[in-house]
């Protein structure tokens, strides 16, 4: 059995690497043949042509594209993603500065989405048909249709401007150095509340919808009726039978969602001025910082593939049939 | 008697016709003059054709034709006899805004004048429109009369015919008007006089104005057009890519199949919003490039559906027979595959439509929209962000519009899904 698991994981790893390579090559070619010149912003008309050539050389843009691609692949295999044009330091260290925030922020949001979605779905399925169930159902549909930038801006208007409860942007206050540890923690928390709400609302609605539909289906299944007739308590049925049987599709969705979250919550970061991967990516794109763009895409791609893999593993762990399917 | 969709459509169009009766007469006259010009001076007539002229002509023709068509095809189109629901009402309204945008707006979406008066007006605020005297020129040729008529009909983004003022007082031979605390004297001879009185109209901005004094309602209506148009275009692009690639992958199998699968996985592993922004920022940000990019970034789920269905269909007898008869691949796709997979595809496309509209608004919100010529909801929300403390209406109305559109798209998708799944044919 172990052999088969390793084999299927290896197969998966190989396809993932192929997909990543394909993606980076695609991006590389697209970048090299796109209009615009990244060296342009470092060159003033007063510079001599020798210096201009030197700048191009320092960016490695003077060689033919095939040669550039070759050295890019060689560097990539040693884990070197190049040096960012704008930041003038290795891409890995630039990303290293921005990634922790994004990982923490999106993980928090992800946990909130999953747990609230699960809680609400269970809460409303237990009261199926009552007004509160209908209300949550309708409300989740409207929340799902609400774009995050509208929510974010309106939340800022309401809570930062009208009620003056939470700060409207940034990660910490100016005077946070003078605060105690717990004061700093509180400061971070108050800064994170609005962005977390903005980022999580849509996801909660998605998880709620998937879960409630599936829970409903499972509750009507024959085996649940059978269990009830045996006198198994409702609590145990829900915990041991209904949830594991209806959580499958949601986990796949969760894998995709986690991947999207980890590649940066662009809109939320823009509204609240947070230092995350999304804004880094945008700035890299607008500044034509080729190595940084490729580096960010690489990291995001890896994270997306990993989170999908994680979702599949969790599903396989929950359901032996899927596990068998994965091996074959 | 139940109210059907047909009644609603006719009611809305009737309201538009009644509100614009003068404009419509002028518009028809413009069209007639254009026809005259077309036969007398073909070259000049062709030069005069531009987007807004075509837009106004089509709106004018359609507004009379659609009620007729609805009455004629009443029996054939069952959907017209359905009971009016919230969703169908909203869809009808959005489509009306899209098709008849020139007739439903009160001014050009980019119209701005007298900023001091019109800047950041609250909803339902009223200003006075003071008409200035115009020199009347007699049209010298057919071309001139057509151009004059055209200028009369088409709402332009600027006008020298009037000024916006807060209030007007008459004192002797002069007129004193105020423009936000500033009193200005003007001779009566410079004012358009009608029936012995200066010609003053009041204008109400129903949803207020933005920071450049532009009417938000007009911008919203033109924004509908942009959103729906981009959504439709992108969905069509996605449809073709998804269907064709899915068919190839499912039908041929083997090497092509796995290659296309890896290709799809690559697109799925891309942080897709970055890819869109990347292409738009680096290449071009016109309407068509946005349509293309959004279309290219949304075909993956369709590909998966089509591929799975084709693999299932491939072993069915009717498909094998059709193949043996010698149908071409194109015929196989359109005659055998498409009718069988239409229901999941349509559901997918409707949900995709909502996503594309959302993505377009998000792009405009980030400042990567289709440019300033076309008002877009996302761009309006972004502009409103800077004025959030003084002008809530700049964000709330476009946000509401976007919300309603997305809600309708999702609901429509759910409804269609439900209908297909319950096995009842439309």
């Amino acid at each position: 059995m172990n052999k088969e698991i390793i084999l299927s994981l290896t197969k998966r790893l190989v396809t993932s690497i192929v997909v990543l390579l394909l993606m980076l090559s695609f991006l590389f070619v697209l970048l090299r043949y796109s209009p615009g010149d990244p060296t342009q912003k470092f060159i003033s008309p007063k510079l001599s042509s020798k210096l201009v050539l030197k700048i191009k050389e320092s960016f490695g843009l003077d060689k033919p594209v095939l040669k550039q691609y070759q050295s890019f692949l060689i560097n990539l295999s040693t884990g070197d993603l190049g040096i960012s044009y704008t930041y003038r330091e290795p891409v890995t260290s630039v990303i290293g500065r921005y990634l922790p925030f994004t990982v923490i922020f999106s993980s928090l949001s992800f946990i909130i989405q999953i747990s609230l979605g699960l809680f609400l779905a269970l809460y409303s399925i237990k009261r199926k048909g009552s007004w509160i169930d209908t209300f949550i159902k309708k409300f989740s549909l409207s929340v799902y249709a609400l774009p995050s930038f509208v929510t974010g801006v309106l939340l800022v208007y309401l809570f930062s401007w009208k009620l003056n409860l939470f700060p409207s942007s940034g990660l910490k206050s100016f005077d946070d150095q003078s605060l105690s540890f717990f004061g700093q923690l509180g400061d971070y928390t108050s800064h994170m509340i609005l962005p977390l709400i903005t980022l999580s609302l849509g996801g909660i609605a998605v998880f709620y919808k998937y879960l409630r539909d599936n829970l409903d289906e499972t509750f009507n299944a024959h085996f649940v009726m059978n269990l009830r007739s045996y006198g198994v308590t409702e609590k145990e049925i829900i915990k041991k039978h209904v949830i594991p049987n209806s959580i499958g599709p949601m986990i796949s969705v969760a894998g995709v969602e986690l991947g999207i979250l980890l590649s940066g919550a662009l809109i939320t970061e823009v509204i609240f001025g947070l230092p995350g991967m999304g804004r880094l990516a945008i700035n890299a794109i607008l500044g034509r910082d080729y190595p940084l763009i490729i580096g960010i895409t690489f990291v995001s791609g890896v994270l997306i593939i990993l989170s999908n893999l994680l979702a599949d593993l969790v599903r396989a762990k929950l359901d032996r049939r899927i596990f068998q399917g994965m091996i074959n | 008697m139940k109210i059907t969709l047909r009644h609603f459509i006719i009611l809305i169009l009737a309201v538009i016709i009644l509100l614009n009766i003068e404009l419509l007469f002028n518009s028809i006259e413009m069209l007639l003059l254009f026809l005259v010009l077309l036969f007398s001076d073909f070259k000049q007539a062709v030069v005069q054709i531009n987007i807004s002229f075509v837009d106004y002509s089509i709106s004018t023709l359609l507004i009379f034709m659609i009620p007729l068509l609805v009455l004629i095809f009443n029996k054939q189109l069952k959907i017209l006899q359905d009971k009016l629901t919230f969703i169908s009402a909203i869809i009808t309204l959005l489509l009306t805004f899209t098709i008849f945008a020139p007739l439903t707006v009160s001014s050009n979406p980019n119209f701005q004048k007298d900023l001091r008066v019109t800047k950041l007006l609250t909803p339902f605020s009223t200003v006075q429109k003071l008409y200035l005297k115009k020199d009347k020129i007699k049209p010298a040729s057919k071309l001139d009369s057509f151009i004059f008529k055209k200028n009369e009909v088409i709402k332009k983004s600027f006008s020298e015919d009037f000024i916006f003022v807060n209030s007007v007082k008459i004192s002797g031979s002069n007129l004193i008007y105020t423009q936000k605390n500033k009193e200005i004297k003007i001779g009566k001879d410079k004012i358009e006089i009608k029936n012995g009185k200066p010609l003053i109209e009041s204008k109400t901005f129903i949803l207020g104005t933005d920071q450049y004094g532009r009417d938000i309602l007009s911008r919203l209506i033109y924004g509908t057009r942009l959103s729906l148009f981009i959504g439709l275009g992108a969905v069509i692009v996605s449809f073709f890519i998804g269907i064709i690639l899915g068919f190839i992958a499912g039908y041929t199998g083997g090497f092509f199949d796995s290659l296309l699968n890896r290709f799809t996985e690559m697109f799925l592993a891309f942080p897709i919003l970055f890819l869109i922004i990347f292409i738009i920022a680096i290449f071009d940000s016109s309407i068509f490039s946005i349509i293309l990019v959004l279309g290219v970034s949304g075909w993956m789920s369709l590909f998966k559906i089509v591929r799975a269905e084709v693999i299932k269909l491939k072993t069915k007898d009717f498909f094998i027979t059709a193949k043996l008869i010698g149908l071409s691949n194109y015929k196989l796709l359109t005659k055998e595959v498409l009718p069988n997979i239409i229901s999941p595809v349509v559901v997918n496309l409707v949900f995709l439509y909502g996503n594309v509209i959302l993505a377009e608004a998000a792009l405009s919100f980030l400042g990567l929209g289709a440019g300033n010529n076309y008002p877009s909801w996302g761009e309006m929300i972004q502009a409103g962000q800077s004025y959030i403390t003084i002008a809530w209406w700049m964000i709330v109305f476009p946000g509401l519009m976007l919300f309603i559109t997305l809600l309708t798209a999702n609901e429509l998708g759910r409804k269609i899904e439900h209908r297909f799944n319950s096995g009842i044919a439309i």
Side-chain angles (χ1 to χ4, degrees), chain A residues 7-25:
Chain A
L7 195 73
S8 87
L9 275 179
T10 331
K11 209 172 143 193
R12 185 129 184 185
L13 191 73
V14 172
T15 25
S16 299
I17 289 173
V18 169
V19 164
L20 268 178
L21 261 182
L22 207 65
M23 182 167 99
L24 290 183
S25 313

Side-chain angles (χ1 to χ4, degrees), chain B residues 25-73:
Chain B
F25 268 120
N26 280 332
S27 190
I28 291 169
E29 212 178 325
M30 173 183 82
L31 278 176
L32 291 178
L33 284 170
F34 180 72
L35 276 181
V36 171
L37 192 67
L38 204 61
F39 285 112
S40 58
D41 193 348
F42 183 73
K43 264 188 190 160
Q44 284 293 342
V46 172
V47 170
Q48 289 299 326
I49 296 177
N50 56 17
I51 289 175
S52 48
F53 170 68
V54 173
D55 192 6
Y56 274 78
S57 320
I58 290 177
S59 304
T60 312
L61 293 176
L62 279 184
I63 199 141
F64 293 112
M65 268 167 62
I66 286 184
L68 279 179
L69 288 178
V70 166
L71 289 178
I72 291 170
F73 291 104

Side-chain angles (χ1 to χ4, degrees), chain A residues 18-227:
Chain A
V18 169
V19 164
L20 268 178
L21 261 182
L22 207 65
M23 182 167 99
L24 290 183
S25 313
F26 175 68
L27 199 62
F28 192 89
V29 173
L30 207 62
L31 275 173
R32 290 312 189 268
Y33 287 102
S34 66
D37 185 356
T39 56
Q40 209 52 255
K41 79 180 161 176
F42 302 98
I43 296 170
S44 88
K46 285 177 195 156
L47 286 182
S48 67
S49 55
K50 242 186 192 168
L51 267 173
V52 170
L53 269 180
K54 211 163 187 185
I55 290 174
K56 281 212 164 169
E57 205 183 306
S58 75
F59 283 3
L61 290 170
D62 54 337
K63 297 184 196 84
V65 174
L66 207 65
K67 197 111 190 194
Q68 287 181 40
Y69 183 61
Q70 220 171 20
S71 55
F72 163 72
L73 283 185
I74 290 165
N75 286 339
L76 188 68
S77 61
T78 59
D80 179 10
L81 286 168
I83 290 169
S84 159
Y85 296 162
T86 27
Y87 292 89
R88 292 288 170 174
E89 49 181 311
V91 167
T92 37
S93 75
V94 177
I95 292 177
R97 264 210 313 275
Y98 285 82
L99 194 61
F101 168 78
T102 292
V103 169
I104 293 171
F105 183 52
S106 6
S107 316
L108 274 178
S109 168
F110 184 70
I111 292 167
I112 291 173
Q113 288 176 21
I114 283 266
S115 46
L116 261 181
L118 189 65
F119 171 75
L120 282 177
L122 280 175
Y123 186 83
S124 78
I125 200 74
K126 279 183 198 160
R127 291 156 187 74
K128 193 186 165 190
S130 70
W131 66 270
I132 200 152
D133 177 38
T134 327
F135 173 75
I136 297 179
K137 226 157 68 179
K138 294 264 183 252
F139 191 70
S140 79
L141 281 178
S142 7
V143 165
Y144 179 65
L146 203 60
S148 63
F149 52 94
V150 177
T151 338
V153 174
L154 289 181
L155 281 175
V156 169
Y157 176 70
L158 199 66
F159 287 102
S160 302
W161 170 250
K162 281 280 165 195
L163 301 175
N164 203 6
L165 277 177
F166 303 113
S168 65
S169 71
L171 192 54
K172 53 191 181 189
S173 308
F174 289 114
D175 59 347
D176 82 313
Q177 292 301 328
S178 61
L179 295 168
S180 64
F181 174 73
F182 288 104
Q184 280 189 18
L185 207 64
D187 188 45
Y188 277 124
T189 315
S190 74
H191 277 89
M192 289 323 299
I193 284 178
L194 289 186
L196 274 179
I197 295 176
T198 310
L199 190 58
S200 309
L201 268 182
I204 294 173
V206 172
F207 287 135
Y208 169 80
K209 183 190 170 298
Y210 271 93
L211 257 178
R212 199 196 165 286
D213 289 352
N214 288 317
L215 282 176
D216 198 16
E217 218 168 276
T218 325
F219 259 116
N220 290 331
H222 290 303
F223 75 90
V224 174
M225 223 191 296
N226 189 31
L227 283 171

